[in-house]
Amino acid sequence: MANTSTSSTPLPCASNWINGVERFDGVFKESINPATYEVIGRYPDNGLAVAMEAVSAASMAFQQPGWAHDHELRARVLEKLAAAFERNRDRLLQMLALENGKVMREAAFELDMVPSKLRYAAACAMLEAGRALRPKPGRISMVLRQPMGVVAVIAPWNSPVVLTIRSLAPALAAGCTVVIKLPAQVAQIASLMARIMAEVDELPRGVINLFFETGSEGAAYLVETPRVPVISFTGSSRTGRAISGVGARHLKRFGMELGGKTPMIVFDDADLDTALPVLEKALTVFGGQFCMTGSRLLVQRGIYDAVRERMAARLRAVTIGPADDPNSDMGPLIDRANVERVEQVVEAALAAGARAVERGGAVRNGVLARGAFFRPALLEVFDNTLDIIQEETFGPVLTLQSFTDEAEALQLANDNPYGLAASVWTRDLDRGLRMAEAIDAGSVWINDWAQVFDGTEEGGFKQSGLGRLNGLAALEDFVEYKHIALRPGLAWH
């Protein structure tokens, strides 16, 4: 049970946002701070009902004249949304740290990506166009790109602001209307986002709708109803497979960024003084609750022992604590249920033959025991088939394996169902490029990690997703192509 707040200040109440109106109807539940388990607010939980109303509002807004065909309006709205998020950065920063648990600098990192994504999409809205050609004498062909209609953006709790905007922005640029669904763990953040978007006076009612829920009834409706032709989903591969199977009955368009198991490949010529601090952050940023978390460390044998000892020392030195403590290197996990889940993953790995270099684990004593804290773990693994290698952990657990040469490193890296991202560390640029081309992953960084840009496409191979977000290709999930053929001469007879 969460602790009841002793403050005399009324707790904030989150609201869903449907057709331009705040909605408070539903059974009220409590939002918690995962660092202290204190109650920080209340929210209405009524997912299915608000999902149905949101789809109706978005459908009606799409049918109205203007939005779907007015490039300039969409660009202005996206620009104003960017300005609104900039104005409200501090409010969002405090709430993201409080409800999501991110330490302040990581919360700021998330929020500072948002305005540029909206502005990039505004530019895309102005550039969006079809083409015309003369395929043969007396014939004209036109190809138009048209928005597909209502889009469901199903975003996760781990980076709720930027991952919502990453799908919302190109959908709006393409001319679609949107229903956003977020988990109840971030109800207060979701509600604040809606109130910020409501500041944009030119945004037509019903173009953006937002709701949150503890269960999945509303999300299931979005996937099942034929009134929503496009689903933009960020989450686990397991859920992605399940919803794509349901949506296939209506031949829905799916854009998905799913799970990851990012290999970090360190060759013996790597600059370890530069690499190790980045490799540490690759594990601990967002508490390892990140699809691109660097969770597999592959090290060439010549430097294996040195890397093992130095990484273990670094992880032991990580200071975990609440987001508002400037000394905290890593905040809590999202809730205690996830602490127990990650604890079980580690126990299963050890039982299967992994060796604990740094056991880490759930904090069971002291003041931090009240929250959802988990110390980072480092496990040596000698069998690439173990679940700890093959399945996403979504927590601060790093596996360590050795390799002899490029071929073995590549074999270990690719022997995995995921293909979202990878990192290669070497002073040999040719080797870095060879590895980058051969690794089965949508993003590969050489001597770096988690560098993502608005203008470059991002997405996964294999079980890590479908389609791309960011870049010009981001709009492809939200448009249809229509061919119109014309014989001009007949118009005069």
Side-chain angles (χ1 to χ4, degrees):
M1 291 290 292
N3 296 326
T4 301
S5 173
T6 58
S7 171
S8 59
T9 303
L11 291 172
C13 185
S15 61
N16 296 300
W17 191 44
I18 310 298
N19 202 27
V21 177
E22 287 188 306
R23 295 289 299 276
F24 295 93
D25 45 312
V27 177
F28 278 85
K29 298 182 179 178
E30 294 175 336
S31 299
I32 65 162
N33 176 349
T36 64
Y37 257 65
E38 293 176 339
V39 177
I40 60 172
R42 302 165 65 236
Y43 64 88
D45 193 25
N46 193 19
L48 178 57
V50 291
M52 295 173 70
E53 292 182 25
V55 170
S56 293
S59 298
M60 186 176 298
F62 185 74
Q63 294 163 12
Q64 298 300 311
W67 179 257
H69 305 291
D70 192 336
H71 296 243
E72 292 185 358
L73 171 62
R74 301 202 299 270
R76 286 197 307 273
V77 165
L78 285 159
E79 285 281 359
K80 289 186 176 184
L81 284 170
F85 275 90
E86 285 176 330
R87 285 194 306 273
N88 290 278
R89 178 184 182 274
D90 289 345
R91 295 172 65 199
L92 272 169
L93 180 65
Q94 297 299 321
M95 185 57 73
L96 190 59
L98 183 67
E99 187 177 37
N100 187 257
K102 285 186 176 70
V103 296
M104 286 292 188
R105 60 183 170 275
E106 293 177 1
F109 171 72
E110 175 178 344
L111 296 178
D112 290 342
M113 289 190 285
V114 167
S116 64
K117 291 191 182 301
L118 290 162
R119 291 194 171 103
Y120 183 86
C124 290
M126 293 301 293
L127 290 172
E128 176 66 5
R131 70 182 191 275
L133 63 155
R134 293 183 182 273
K136 60 183 180 179
R139 297 290 190 276
I140 295 176
S141 281
M142 295 180 290
V143 178
L144 305 180
R145 284 161 57 99
Q146 296 184 339
M148 289 194 65
V150 178
V151 172
V153 171
I154 304 176
W157 47 256
N158 61 317
S159 294
V161 183
V162 72
L163 296 184
T164 295
I165 297 301
R166 186 181 62 171
S167 292
L168 173 68
L172 296 180
C176 294
T177 57
V178 180
V179 177
I180 300 166
K181 183 268 179 186
L182 282 159
Q185 289 103 318
V186 290
Q188 305 298 324
I189 297 166
S191 180
L192 179 54
M193 278 198 291
R195 289 165 183 164
I196 290 169
M197 291 187 285
E199 293 179 8
V200 177
D201 54 2
E202 284 194 84
L203 178 65
R205 287 181 56 166
V207 166
I208 303 175
N209 306 271
L210 181 150
F211 75 96
F212 39 80
E213 62 180 348
T214 56
S216 59
E217 293 85 358
Y221 174 77
L222 298 179
V223 174
E224 292 166 359
T225 177
R227 301 174 73 189
V228 179
V230 185
I231 307 290
S232 183
F233 172 77
T234 304
S236 72
S237 298
R238 179 181 299 176
T239 303
R241 288 191 294 270
I243 66 174
S244 63
V246 174
R249 293 199 293 266
H250 298 294
L251 297 179
K252 292 199 176 196
R253 179 84 57 84
F254 280 93
M256 297 186 175
E257 186 176 276
L258 305 176
K261 199 72 177 176
T262 299
M264 315 285 283
I265 304 168
V266 184
F267 286 94
D268 57 11
D269 66 340
D271 180 348
L272 293 184
D273 290 337
T274 299
L276 286 170
V278 179
L279 296 173
E280 174 199 321
K281 288 299 182 185
L283 178 71
T284 61
V285 163
F286 306 162
Q289 301 168 121
F290 182 32
C291 55
M292 291 180 172
T293 290
S295 56
R296 288 192 291 157
L297 184 55
L298 311 179
V299 183
Q300 200 160 18
R301 294 192 194 283
I303 58 170
Y304 181 83
D305 290 342
V307 170
R308 178 183 58 204
E309 299 312 313
R310 290 178 66 177
M311 182 57 69
R314 294 192 70 92
L315 295 182
R316 282 194 298 273
V318 169
T319 300
I320 62 172
D324 58 358
D325 184 342
N327 296 316
S328 297
D329 297 316
M330 189 179 85
L333 303 192
I334 190 64
D335 53 34
R336 289 173 183 160
N338 274 279
V339 169
E340 295 306 318
R341 178 188 57 78
V342 177
E343 185 75 17
Q344 290 171 16
V345 168
V346 173
E347 283 299 314
L350 295 174
R355 187 180 79 85
V357 180
E358 186 64 29
R359 172 59 177 82
V363 176
R364 303 294 190 190
N365 50 53
V367 66
L368 296 183
R370 293 182 301 176
F373 290 96
F374 191 101
R375 290 210 57 81
L378 176 61
L379 308 179
E380 276 188 299
V381 178
F382 311 100
D383 180 355
N384 211 57
T385 67
L386 295 188
D387 286 349
I388 193 66
I389 298 293
Q390 296 297 321
E391 299 295 332
E392 185 176 40
T393 301
F394 223 63
V397 179
L398 179 63
T399 62
L400 179 64
Q401 297 172 275
S402 66
F403 65 86
T404 55
D405 53 22
E406 284 184 39
E408 186 178 11
L410 186 63
Q411 188 275 325
L412 289 171
N414 284 342
D415 182 18
N416 186 275
Y418 298 104
L420 187 59
S423 178
V424 179
W425 293 82
T426 178
R427 286 186 170 94
D428 184 339
L429 182 58
D430 288 341
R431 174 160 62 187
L433 289 171
R434 284 196 302 273
M435 293 294 293
E437 290 189 15
I439 291 171
D440 295 332
S443 295
V444 181
W445 306 288
I446 300 174
N447 296 326
D448 216 332
W449 170 76
Q451 296 301 306
V452 177
F453 306 103
D454 300 327
T456 53
E457 282 71 15
E458 171 192 340
F461 287 16
K462 300 189 289 190
Q463 296 293 308
S464 286
L466 299 169
R468 289 296 181 267
L469 291 164
N470 295 332
L472 293 174
L475 270 68
E476 291 294 327
D477 284 338
F478 309 111
V479 296
E480 286 281 24
Y481 287 81
K482 176 178 288 184
H483 173 223
I484 300 174
L486 176 64
R487 291 180 64 183
L490 295 183
W492 302 104
H493 297 290

